[in-house]
Amino acid sequence: MDILDTHAYDRRQKRYTSCALFVSLLPFFLSTALYFYLWTPDSPGSIMSAAVKTAPALLLAAAVLSWNGGQSVLGVVGGLVCSAVGDWCLVWPEHFLHGMGAFAAAHLLYSFTFLSSNYSAYSASSSVCFRFLYLILFMIGGGFYIYIFPFLQTAPDPELLVPAVGIYVVLIAVMGALAIRSRHTATLLGSLSFMVSDLSLALQIFKATPPMEYGNALVMVTYYSAQLLIAVGDIKAVENKDDFSKWKRS
């Protein structure tokens, strides 16, 4: 009977936690809806549009900080703040390189987070499978860079863009590989969604694909989904680690 009571209590706690998490994410959902409601194609950059665009990432950072505390400042919270800086910069096309630098810093912080003790590493028995997935991921990144290389050469400031985009592709591929290593579904899906968003954005910015009617919608939907999944994955990773620590001490 005690065991049944314990399981029932655990189920109630999980339901409570899920509800509390959803409530803490409501500001993110509302700000994301506001962005898509106010967004108009080819609208000029403004302080207001930049604020609306950056709000979802900052609200996600606040939610993660409230759940995980200061330990996430140099992790997912820091990555979300860097992403917000990148969002702000990309509102104005002339600040594209600054925005890309901010997102590169975000990928570095995410990568360091996925290497932390909060995320479990793969076992030796599954290492071959994961190495195969890593290879596929880097092949996709390399193939994309080779494809987009001629378009980078004809873009403004190719001497800066060619190496900068190459470094960025490596960083996001590493981030995706470490997400695979983490074995957290939300983290993995978020990282892959981030890659889809960035690749779609690059194809459009460097005119490597014909104009897409819903190109910006694709970029932003996958981008906000990626940040949400990475944030939830980090909250769950810390929560699972704390539960495991309590179980070991009991």
Side-chain angles (χ1 to χ4, degrees):
M1 189 64 181
D2 289 340
I3 294 177
L4 293 176
D5 289 341
T6 300
H7 286 321
Y9 174 78
D10 288 341
R11 286 196 298 270
R12 288 195 299 270
Q13 283 296 103
K14 288 181 179 179
R15 284 197 297 269
Y16 170 77
T17 301
S18 297
C19 291
L21 178 57
F22 177 77
V23 170
S24 69
L25 292 173
L26 276 178
F28 163 78
F29 292 125
L30 293 174
S31 62
T32 302
L34 180 64
Y35 168 80
F36 285 108
Y37 177 75
L38 296 177
W39 173 75
T40 53
D42 303 320
S43 58
S46 66
I47 299 296
M48 179 60 70
S49 61
V52 171
K53 187 179 182 182
T54 59
L58 292 176
L59 290 170
L60 266 183
V64 176
L65 188 63
S66 69
W67 279 84
N68 294 352
Q71 62 178 310
S72 57
V73 170
L74 294 178
V76 167
V77 169
L80 287 166
V81 172
C82 288
S83 296
V85 174
D87 287 332
W88 185 281
C89 293
L90 292 183
V91 169
W92 294 275
E94 61 270 23
H95 295 304
F96 175 78
L97 278 173
H98 300 89
M100 187 167 64
F103 279 112
H107 294 320
L108 279 173
L109 288 171
Y110 289 154
S111 296
F112 288 135
T113 301
F114 301 159
L115 282 171
S116 71
S117 59
N118 293 333
Y119 293 80
S120 58
Y122 58 82
S123 61
S125 61
S126 59
S127 62
V128 175
C129 177
F130 281 110
R131 287 171 184 170
F132 180 69
L133 292 175
Y134 298 162
L135 178 62
I136 292 176
L137 201 60
F138 281 100
M139 286 178 64
I140 291 173
F144 173 80
Y145 184 70
I146 291 170
Y147 173 77
I148 207 172
F149 184 80
F151 300 96
L152 295 175
Q153 290 183 309
T154 59
D157 299 324
E159 65 280 357
L160 288 175
L161 277 175
V162 170
V165 172
I167 293 171
Y168 188 87
V169 169
V170 171
L171 289 176
I172 196 170
V174 168
M175 190 267 290
L178 292 176
I180 294 173
R181 174 185 180 273
S182 74
R183 297 195 299 181
H184 282 256
T185 303
T187 301
L188 172 57
L189 292 177
S191 299
L192 294 179
S193 185
F194 214 136
M195 294 183 71
V196 171
S197 176
D198 279 358
L199 296 185
S200 301
L201 178 63
L203 289 173
Q204 295 174 66
I205 286 182
F206 300 120
K207 297 178 172 57
T209 185
M212 301 170 61
E213 184 178 359
Y214 299 104
N216 185 78
L218 171 64
V219 170
M220 296 310 296
V221 167
T222 51
Y223 168 69
Y224 285 137
S225 299
Q227 299 286 34
L228 172 63
L229 288 166
I230 289 173
V232 171
D234 193 56
I235 291 171
K236 292 295 185 181
V238 173
E239 178 186 314
N240 291 340
K241 182 191 175 186
D242 291 342
D243 289 344
F244 181 69
S245 298
K246 292 175 184 177
W247 177 80
K248 285 184 69 177
R249 289 196 298 267
S250 61

